[in-house]
Amino acid sequence: PTISPGLALAIVDEEQRFGVDQRETLARCAAHTIYMSATPIPRTLALGRSISNMSLEGEPKTGAVSTSPVLLGTLDVSVIESKPESARTVQTSIVDADRVEEVIGGVSRQISKGGKVFWILPLIGESEFASKNAKGGQSSSSDDSDELVSRTTNVIERHASLCRVLGDDRVGMIHGRMTMREREMQLNAFAKPTSGLDVMVVSLL
């Protein structure tokens, strides 16, 4: 990582995504370091164990905040059990691929209220679906169900279909084949409330 001189605090979010050397480089260069993760790695838990956050069985207590000297390692552990009061309620729905038109209707209603929508898909183009099928020993000349899955899971076709419904100027697209500059331009436009770009179709980058 690039380190700024005189770094006072380094915050490492999703710390399980960083290597040991990367984390230690940050820790050496910063006066204070905070590691954050919903799935802490065993090494971090071992470095942060103390009397106050261990149960009688030797497991970390839920909600405990370390206040006593650390017996093993150099970290204090805090557990955040509740969401901030300002956190929004998230509603999750599972919809079959053949009901995608209902999802598009929901997207249209959301942006009509001034909202913004991310539509995240696993594939960039249809060719990737055929390639994955071929590697798995399946026929790429497939039946209607395969065609439906391909049509609803790739960014390029979903972007085109949403443009037909909502208009070209309201739907953007970001995927791994685009340059960094192209991606940044799309994100900057999406972030502006007055840009008119309300839906962003994105691949897993």
Side-chain angles (χ1 to χ4, degrees):
T2 302
I3 308 298
S4 301
L7 187 63
L9 175 65
I11 301 176
V12 181
D13 193 16
E14 297 289 345
E15 62 120 2
Q16 75 277 4
R17 296 178 179 268
F18 290 78
V20 173
D21 290 342
Q22 291 176 313
R23 295 197 301 272
E24 289 185 349
T25 298
L26 286 169
R28 285 194 301 268
C29 295
H32 305 280
T33 308
I34 296 176
Y35 300 110
M36 301 176 63
S37 177
T39 54
I41 59 178
R43 183 178 184 275
T44 300
L45 292 177
L47 289 173
R49 286 191 165 187
S50 65
I51 294 174
S52 66
N53 62 17
M54 287 178 63
S55 67
L56 295 176
E57 292 76 26
E59 296 298 327
K61 292 179 181 177
T62 302
V65 178
S66 175
T67 56
S68 64
V70 176
L71 298 180
L72 175 63
T74 57
L75 300 179
D76 290 335
V77 177
S78 300
V79 178
I80 302 174
E81 290 189 300
S82 58
K83 299 178 182 180
E85 293 182 1
S86 59
R88 299 179 180 179
T89 301
V90 176
Q91 179 180 342
T92 302
S93 302
I94 299 175
V95 181
D96 291 336
D98 58 0
R99 297 174 57 195
V100 70
E101 299 304 324
E102 296 178 34
V103 178
I104 294 175
V107 168
S108 181
R109 289 191 296 273
Q110 182 66 28
I111 63 176
S112 69
K113 298 176 183 177
K116 299 267 187 177
V117 175
F118 273 109
W119 192 309
I120 304 173
L121 295 165
L123 304 178
I124 297 175
E126 186 177 1
S127 60
E128 292 180 70
F129 180 78
S131 175
K132 288 178 183 294
N133 270 355
K135 290 179 181 178
Q138 300 178 30
S139 170
S140 59
S141 61
S142 58
D143 55 16
D144 292 342
S145 62
D146 277 353
E147 182 183 353
L148 177 63
V149 171
S150 172
R151 194 170 64 249
T152 56
T153 58
N154 82 77
V155 169
I156 293 174
E157 291 199 32
R158 177 52 53 206
H159 173 262
S161 67
L162 288 174
C163 285
R164 287 193 293 270
V165 176
L166 304 174
D168 293 352
D169 57 338
R170 304 194 75 176
V171 186
M173 174 174 59
I174 297 176
H175 55 72
R177 296 177 190 168
M178 299 169 66
T179 65
M180 182 64 72
R181 177 175 174 78
E182 289 172 330
R183 283 183 257 174
E184 287 179 352
M185 289 176 62
Q186 286 283 290
L187 282 174
N188 290 338
F190 186 65
K192 292 180 180 179
T194 58
S195 69
L197 193 61
D198 299 319
V199 180
M200 186 63 67
V201 186
V202 188
S203 69
L204 299 174
L205 299 175

Short mmCIF file of all heavy atoms in Angstrom, two decimals, residues 36-90:
data_model
loop_
_atom_site.label_atom_id
_atom_site.label_comp_id
_atom_site.label_asym_id
_atom_site.label_seq_id
_atom_site.Cartn_x
_atom_site.Cartn_y
_atom_site.Cartn_z
N MET A 36 -11.29 -3.79 10.83
CA MET A 36 -12.73 -4.00 10.85
C MET A 36 -13.08 -5.19 9.98
O MET A 36 -12.54 -5.35 8.89
CB MET A 36 -13.46 -2.76 10.36
CG MET A 36 -13.18 -1.51 11.17
SD MET A 36 -13.96 -0.03 10.47
CE MET A 36 -15.68 -0.47 10.63
N SER A 37 -14.00 -6.03 10.46
CA SER A 37 -14.42 -7.18 9.68
C SER A 37 -15.66 -7.81 10.29
O SER A 37 -15.80 -7.87 11.51
CB SER A 37 -13.30 -8.23 9.63
OG SER A 37 -13.74 -9.37 8.92
N ALA A 38 -16.57 -8.26 9.41
CA ALA A 38 -17.72 -9.04 9.88
C ALA A 38 -17.34 -10.49 10.06
O ALA A 38 -18.05 -11.26 10.71
CB ALA A 38 -18.88 -8.91 8.89
N THR A 39 -16.21 -10.90 9.47
CA THR A 39 -15.72 -12.28 9.59
C THR A 39 -14.24 -12.25 9.94
O THR A 39 -13.38 -12.51 9.10
CB THR A 39 -15.92 -13.04 8.26
OG1 THR A 39 -15.31 -12.29 7.19
CG2 THR A 39 -17.39 -13.25 7.95
N PRO A 40 -13.90 -11.91 11.18
CA PRO A 40 -12.49 -11.77 11.56
C PRO A 40 -11.74 -13.09 11.42
O PRO A 40 -12.28 -14.17 11.68
CB PRO A 40 -12.57 -11.34 13.03
CG PRO A 40 -13.92 -11.77 13.49
CD PRO A 40 -14.81 -11.66 12.31
N ILE A 41 -10.51 -12.98 10.97
CA ILE A 41 -9.69 -14.17 10.78
C ILE A 41 -9.14 -14.65 12.13
O ILE A 41 -8.97 -13.87 13.06
CB ILE A 41 -8.55 -13.89 9.79
CG1 ILE A 41 -7.66 -12.75 10.29
CG2 ILE A 41 -9.10 -13.58 8.41
CD1 ILE A 41 -6.49 -12.45 9.39
N PRO A 42 -8.87 -15.95 12.25
CA PRO A 42 -8.40 -16.51 13.54
C PRO A 42 -7.15 -15.80 14.08
O PRO A 42 -7.01 -15.62 15.29
CB PRO A 42 -8.11 -17.98 13.20
CG PRO A 42 -9.02 -18.28 12.06
CD PRO A 42 -9.09 -17.02 11.25
N ARG A 43 -6.26 -15.39 13.18
CA ARG A 43 -5.03 -14.74 13.63
C ARG A 43 -5.34 -13.45 14.38
O ARG A 43 -4.74 -13.14 15.42
CB ARG A 43 -4.14 -14.43 12.42
CG ARG A 43 -2.80 -13.81 12.78
CD ARG A 43 -1.96 -13.59 11.51
NE ARG A 43 -0.65 -13.07 11.83
CZ ARG A 43 -0.38 -11.79 12.01
NH1 ARG A 43 -1.35 -10.89 11.91
NH2 ARG A 43 0.85 -11.38 12.29
N THR A 44 -6.29 -12.67 13.87
CA THR A 44 -6.66 -11.42 14.53
C THR A 44 -7.30 -11.68 15.88
O THR A 44 -7.03 -10.99 16.86
CB THR A 44 -7.61 -10.61 13.64
OG1 THR A 44 -6.96 -10.31 12.40
CG2 THR A 44 -8.02 -9.31 14.31
N LEU A 45 -8.19 -12.69 15.94
CA LEU A 45 -8.82 -13.03 17.21
C LEU A 45 -7.78 -13.46 18.24
O LEU A 45 -7.86 -13.11 19.41
CB LEU A 45 -9.85 -14.15 17.01
CG LEU A 45 -11.09 -13.78 16.20
CD1 LEU A 45 -11.98 -15.00 16.00
CD2 LEU A 45 -11.87 -12.67 16.90
N ALA A 46 -6.78 -14.22 17.79
CA ALA A 46 -5.74 -14.66 18.70
C ALA A 46 -4.92 -13.49 19.23
O ALA A 46 -4.57 -13.44 20.42
CB ALA A 46 -4.82 -15.67 18.01
N LEU A 47 -4.66 -12.53 18.38
CA LEU A 47 -3.89 -11.35 18.79
C LEU A 47 -4.68 -10.43 19.70
O LEU A 47 -4.11 -9.60 20.39
CB LEU A 47 -3.43 -10.57 17.56
CG LEU A 47 -2.34 -11.21 16.71
CD1 LEU A 47 -2.12 -10.41 15.43
CD2 LEU A 47 -1.04 -11.30 17.50
N GLY A 48 -6.00 -10.57 19.71
CA GLY A 48 -6.83 -9.65 20.47
C GLY A 48 -7.48 -10.24 21.69
O GLY A 48 -8.30 -9.60 22.32
N ARG A 49 -7.15 -11.46 22.05
CA ARG A 49 -7.81 -12.07 23.20
C ARG A 49 -7.34 -11.45 24.52
O ARG A 49 -6.17 -11.25 24.76
CB ARG A 49 -7.53 -13.57 23.23
CG ARG A 49 -8.30 -14.32 22.17
CD ARG A 49 -8.22 -15.80 22.38
NE ARG A 49 -9.24 -16.48 21.59
CZ ARG A 49 -9.49 -17.77 21.67
NH1 ARG A 49 -8.82 -18.53 22.50
NH2 ARG A 49 -10.43 -18.32 20.93
N SER A 50 -8.30 -11.17 25.38
CA SER A 50 -7.99 -10.64 26.71
C SER A 50 -9.02 -11.18 27.69
O SER A 50 -10.00 -11.82 27.32
CB SER A 50 -8.04 -9.10 26.70
OG SER A 50 -9.34 -8.66 26.43
N ILE A 51 -8.80 -10.95 28.96
CA ILE A 51 -9.69 -11.50 30.00
C ILE A 51 -11.12 -11.02 29.81
O ILE A 51 -12.07 -11.78 29.92
CB ILE A 51 -9.18 -11.09 31.41
CG1 ILE A 51 -7.83 -11.75 31.67
CG2 ILE A 51 -10.19 -11.49 32.48
CD1 ILE A 51 -7.19 -11.30 32.96
N SER A 52 -11.30 -9.72 29.49
CA SER A 52 -12.64 -9.16 29.47
C SER A 52 -13.48 -9.64 28.31
O SER A 52 -14.70 -9.60 28.38
CB SER A 52 -12.56 -7.63 29.43
OG SER A 52 -12.01 -7.22 28.21
N ASN A 53 -12.85 -10.11 27.21
CA ASN A 53 -13.67 -10.52 26.09
C ASN A 53 -13.59 -12.03 25.85
O ASN A 53 -13.81 -12.49 24.75
CB ASN A 53 -13.32 -9.74 24.81
CG ASN A 53 -11.89 -9.96 24.36
OD1 ASN A 53 -11.24 -10.90 24.79
ND2 ASN A 53 -11.41 -9.07 23.52
N MET A 54 -13.30 -12.80 26.90
CA MET A 54 -13.32 -14.25 26.81
C MET A 54 -14.28 -14.84 27.83
O MET A 54 -14.37 -14.38 28.96
CB MET A 54 -11.92 -14.84 27.03
CG MET A 54 -10.96 -14.62 25.87
SD MET A 54 -9.33 -15.29 26.20
CE MET A 54 -9.73 -17.03 26.35
N SER A 55 -15.04 -15.84 27.41
CA SER A 55 -15.94 -16.53 28.30
C SER A 55 -15.18 -17.59 29.07
O SER A 55 -13.99 -17.81 28.85
CB SER A 55 -17.07 -17.18 27.49
OG SER A 55 -16.54 -18.21 26.69
N LEU A 56 -15.86 -18.28 29.99
CA LEU A 56 -15.22 -19.34 30.75
C LEU A 56 -14.75 -20.47 29.85
O LEU A 56 -13.81 -21.20 30.18
CB LEU A 56 -16.19 -19.88 31.81
CG LEU A 56 -16.59 -18.88 32.91
CD1 LEU A 56 -17.62 -19.52 33.83
CD2 LEU A 56 -15.36 -18.44 33.70
N GLU A 57 -15.41 -20.65 28.70
CA GLU A 57 -15.02 -21.73 27.78
C GLU A 57 -13.89 -21.30 26.85
O GLU A 57 -13.46 -22.06 26.00
CB GLU A 57 -16.23 -22.13 26.92
CG GLU A 57 -17.35 -22.82 27.69
CD GLU A 57 -18.16 -21.82 28.51
OE1 GLU A 57 -18.19 -20.65 28.10
OE2 GLU A 57 -18.74 -22.22 29.54
N GLY A 58 -13.41 -20.05 27.01
CA GLY A 58 -12.32 -19.60 26.17
C GLY A 58 -12.75 -18.98 24.87
O GLY A 58 -11.94 -18.69 24.00
N GLU A 59 -14.07 -18.77 24.68
CA GLU A 59 -14.58 -18.16 23.45
C GLU A 59 -14.87 -16.68 23.70
O GLU A 59 -15.20 -16.28 24.81
CB GLU A 59 -15.86 -18.86 22.99
CG GLU A 59 -15.66 -20.31 22.62
CD GLU A 59 -14.70 -20.46 21.46
OE1 GLU A 59 -14.70 -19.57 20.58
OE2 GLU A 59 -13.96 -21.45 21.43
N PRO A 60 -14.73 -15.84 22.66
CA PRO A 60 -15.01 -14.41 22.84
C PRO A 60 -16.46 -14.17 23.26
O PRO A 60 -17.37 -14.78 22.73
CB PRO A 60 -14.74 -13.83 21.44
CG PRO A 60 -13.87 -14.84 20.78
CD PRO A 60 -14.27 -16.16 21.32
N LYS A 61 -16.66 -13.29 24.22
CA LYS A 61 -18.01 -12.93 24.63
C LYS A 61 -18.64 -12.02 23.59
O LYS A 61 -17.98 -11.16 23.01
CB LYS A 61 -17.98 -12.17 25.97
CG LYS A 61 -17.55 -13.01 27.17
CD LYS A 61 -17.55 -12.13 28.41
CE LYS A 61 -17.12 -12.90 29.65
NZ LYS A 61 -17.05 -12.01 30.83
N THR A 62 -19.94 -12.18 23.39
CA THR A 62 -20.66 -11.31 22.46
C THR A 62 -20.85 -9.94 23.09
O THR A 62 -21.32 -9.82 24.21
CB THR A 62 -22.03 -11.91 22.12
OG1 THR A 62 -21.84 -13.22 21.57
CG2 THR A 62 -22.76 -11.03 21.12
N GLY A 63 -20.46 -8.90 22.34
CA GLY A 63 -20.67 -7.54 22.81
C GLY A 63 -19.63 -7.04 23.78
O GLY A 63 -19.74 -5.94 24.30
N ALA A 64 -18.60 -7.82 24.08
CA ALA A 64 -17.60 -7.41 25.05
C ALA A 64 -16.66 -6.39 24.45
O ALA A 64 -16.29 -6.46 23.29
CB ALA A 64 -16.81 -8.62 25.54
N VAL A 65 -16.25 -5.43 25.26
CA VAL A 65 -15.25 -4.45 24.87
C VAL A 65 -14.07 -4.60 25.80
O VAL A 65 -14.20 -4.55 27.02
CB VAL A 65 -15.81 -3.00 24.95
CG1 VAL A 65 -14.72 -2.01 24.59
CG2 VAL A 65 -17.00 -2.85 24.04
N SER A 66 -12.89 -4.81 25.24
CA SER A 66 -11.71 -5.11 26.04
C SER A 66 -11.27 -3.89 26.85
O SER A 66 -11.08 -2.82 26.31
CB SER A 66 -10.58 -5.57 25.12
OG SER A 66 -9.41 -5.75 25.85
N THR A 67 -11.11 -4.06 28.15
CA THR A 67 -10.61 -2.98 29.01
C THR A 67 -9.44 -3.45 29.85
O THR A 67 -8.74 -2.65 30.44
CB THR A 67 -11.73 -2.49 29.96
OG1 THR A 67 -12.23 -3.61 30.71
CG2 THR A 67 -12.86 -1.87 29.17
N SER A 68 -9.21 -4.75 29.95
CA SER A 68 -8.12 -5.27 30.76
C SER A 68 -6.88 -5.50 29.91
O SER A 68 -6.95 -5.50 28.68
CB SER A 68 -8.54 -6.60 31.39
OG SER A 68 -8.76 -7.56 30.39
N PRO A 69 -5.71 -5.69 30.54
CA PRO A 69 -4.49 -5.94 29.76
C PRO A 69 -4.64 -7.17 28.88
O PRO A 69 -5.23 -8.17 29.27
CB PRO A 69 -3.44 -6.16 30.85
CG PRO A 69 -3.98 -5.49 32.06
CD PRO A 69 -5.47 -5.65 31.98
N VAL A 70 -4.08 -7.10 27.67
CA VAL A 70 -4.15 -8.22 26.76
C VAL A 70 -3.16 -9.29 27.19
O VAL A 70 -2.00 -9.02 27.46
CB VAL A 70 -3.83 -7.75 25.32
CG1 VAL A 70 -3.80 -8.92 24.35
CG2 VAL A 70 -4.85 -6.72 24.88
N LEU A 71 -3.63 -10.53 27.28
CA LEU A 71 -2.78 -11.63 27.69
C LEU A 71 -1.96 -12.18 26.54
O LEU A 71 -0.85 -12.66 26.72
CB LEU A 71 -3.63 -12.76 28.28
CG LEU A 71 -4.42 -12.41 29.55
CD1 LEU A 71 -5.20 -13.62 30.02
CD2 LEU A 71 -3.50 -11.91 30.65
N LEU A 72 -2.52 -12.15 25.34
CA LEU A 72 -1.86 -12.70 24.17
C LEU A 72 -2.05 -11.75 23.00
O LEU A 72 -3.18 -11.53 22.57
CB LEU A 72 -2.44 -14.08 23.83
CG LEU A 72 -1.92 -14.74 22.55
CD1 LEU A 72 -0.43 -15.02 22.67
CD2 LEU A 72 -2.67 -16.02 22.25
N GLY A 73 -0.94 -11.17 22.53
CA GLY A 73 -1.06 -10.27 21.40
C GLY A 73 -1.14 -8.82 21.82
O GLY A 73 -0.92 -8.47 22.98
N THR A 74 -1.49 -7.96 20.88
CA THR A 74 -1.42 -6.51 21.11
C THR A 74 -2.68 -5.77 20.71
O THR A 74 -2.67 -4.56 20.59
CB THR A 74 -0.24 -5.92 20.30
OG1 THR A 74 -0.44 -6.25 18.92
CG2 THR A 74 1.09 -6.49 20.77
N LEU A 75 -3.78 -6.49 20.49
CA LEU A 75 -5.00 -5.84 20.03
C LEU A 75 -6.10 -5.90 21.08
O LEU A 75 -6.21 -6.87 21.81
CB LEU A 75 -5.51 -6.52 18.75
CG LEU A 75 -4.60 -6.53 17.53
CD1 LEU A 75 -5.28 -7.27 16.39
CD2 LEU A 75 -4.24 -5.13 17.10
N ASP A 76 -6.90 -4.85 21.13
CA ASP A 76 -8.14 -4.87 21.90
C ASP A 76 -9.28 -5.15 20.92
O ASP A 76 -9.27 -4.67 19.80
CB ASP A 76 -8.39 -3.52 22.59
CG ASP A 76 -7.41 -3.27 23.72
OD1 ASP A 76 -6.90 -4.27 24.27
OD2 ASP A 76 -7.15 -2.10 24.03
N VAL A 77 -10.27 -5.92 21.37
CA VAL A 77 -11.38 -6.33 20.50
C VAL A 77 -12.67 -5.69 20.97
O VAL A 77 -13.01 -5.76 22.15
CB VAL A 77 -11.53 -7.86 20.48
CG1 VAL A 77 -12.74 -8.26 19.62
CG2 VAL A 77 -10.27 -8.52 19.93
N SER A 78 -13.39 -5.08 20.05
CA SER A 78 -14.73 -4.55 20.32
C SER A 78 -15.70 -5.19 19.34
O SER A 78 -15.35 -5.38 18.17
CB SER A 78 -14.77 -3.02 20.16
OG SER A 78 -13.86 -2.40 21.04
N VAL A 79 -16.89 -5.51 19.80
CA VAL A 79 -17.90 -6.12 18.95
C VAL A 79 -19.09 -5.16 18.84
O VAL A 79 -19.65 -4.74 19.85
CB VAL A 79 -18.38 -7.47 19.51
CG1 VAL A 79 -19.47 -8.06 18.61
CG2 VAL A 79 -17.22 -8.45 19.61
N ILE A 80 -19.45 -4.80 17.62
CA ILE A 80 -20.61 -3.93 17.38
C ILE A 80 -21.81 -4.83 17.14
O ILE A 80 -21.88 -5.52 16.13
CB ILE A 80 -20.36 -3.00 16.18
CG1 ILE A 80 -19.11 -2.16 16.41
CG2 ILE A 80 -21.58 -2.12 15.92
CD1 ILE A 80 -18.71 -1.31 15.22
N GLU A 81 -22.75 -4.83 18.06
CA GLU A 81 -23.90 -5.74 17.97
C GLU A 81 -25.11 -5.14 17.29
O GLU A 81 -25.96 -5.86 16.77
CB GLU A 81 -24.29 -6.20 19.38
CG GLU A 81 -23.30 -7.14 20.03
CD GLU A 81 -23.87 -7.72 21.31
OE1 GLU A 81 -24.19 -6.93 22.21
OE2 GLU A 81 -24.01 -8.94 21.39
N SER A 82 -25.21 -3.82 17.30
CA SER A 82 -26.42 -3.19 16.77
C SER A 82 -26.06 -2.20 15.68
O SER A 82 -24.94 -1.68 15.63
CB SER A 82 -27.19 -2.47 17.88
OG SER A 82 -26.36 -1.51 18.51
N LYS A 83 -27.03 -1.93 14.80
CA LYS A 83 -26.83 -0.97 13.73
C LYS A 83 -26.98 0.45 14.26
O LYS A 83 -27.61 0.67 15.29
CB LYS A 83 -27.87 -1.19 12.63
CG LYS A 83 -27.79 -2.56 11.97
CD LYS A 83 -28.89 -2.69 10.92
CE LYS A 83 -28.86 -4.06 10.28
NZ LYS A 83 -29.94 -4.22 9.26
N PRO A 84 -26.40 1.44 13.58
CA PRO A 84 -26.62 2.84 13.96
C PRO A 84 -28.10 3.18 13.86
O PRO A 84 -28.84 2.59 13.07
CB PRO A 84 -25.80 3.62 12.92
CG PRO A 84 -24.82 2.64 12.37
CD PRO A 84 -25.46 1.30 12.45
N GLU A 85 -28.54 4.12 14.68
CA GLU A 85 -29.95 4.50 14.67
C GLU A 85 -30.39 5.04 13.30
O GLU A 85 -31.55 4.94 12.95
CB GLU A 85 -30.21 5.55 15.75
CG GLU A 85 -30.05 5.01 17.18
CD GLU A 85 -30.37 6.06 18.21
OE1 GLU A 85 -30.72 7.20 17.82
OE2 GLU A 85 -30.27 5.76 19.42
N SER A 86 -29.44 5.60 12.56
CA SER A 86 -29.77 6.18 11.27
C SER A 86 -29.77 5.14 10.14
O SER A 86 -30.06 5.48 8.99
CB SER A 86 -28.76 7.28 10.92
OG SER A 86 -27.44 6.75 10.90
N ALA A 87 -29.43 3.89 10.44
CA ALA A 87 -29.35 2.85 9.39
C ALA A 87 -30.73 2.60 8.79
O ALA A 87 -31.74 2.55 9.49
CB ALA A 87 -28.79 1.56 9.98
N ARG A 88 -30.75 2.42 7.48
CA ARG A 88 -32.01 2.18 6.79
C ARG A 88 -32.39 0.70 6.89
O ARG A 88 -31.54 -0.18 7.00
CB ARG A 88 -31.89 2.56 5.32
CG ARG A 88 -31.58 4.03 5.08
CD ARG A 88 -31.44 4.32 3.59
NE ARG A 88 -31.14 5.72 3.35
CZ ARG A 88 -30.96 6.23 2.14
NH1 ARG A 88 -31.03 5.44 1.08
NH2 ARG A 88 -30.67 7.52 1.99
N THR A 89 -33.69 0.45 6.85
CA THR A 89 -34.18 -0.92 6.85
C THR A 89 -34.01 -1.51 5.45
O THR A 89 -34.39 -0.89 4.45
CB THR A 89 -35.66 -0.98 7.25
OG1 THR A 89 -35.80 -0.42 8.57
CG2 THR A 89 -36.15 -2.42 7.27
N VAL A 90 -33.42 -2.69 5.37
CA VAL A 90 -33.19 -3.34 4.08
C VAL A 90 -34.20 -4.47 3.90
O VAL A 90 -34.37 -5.32 4.78
CB VAL A 90 -31.76 -3.91 4.00
CG1 VAL A 90 -31.56 -4.66 2.69
CG2 VAL A 90 -30.74 -2.79 4.14
#
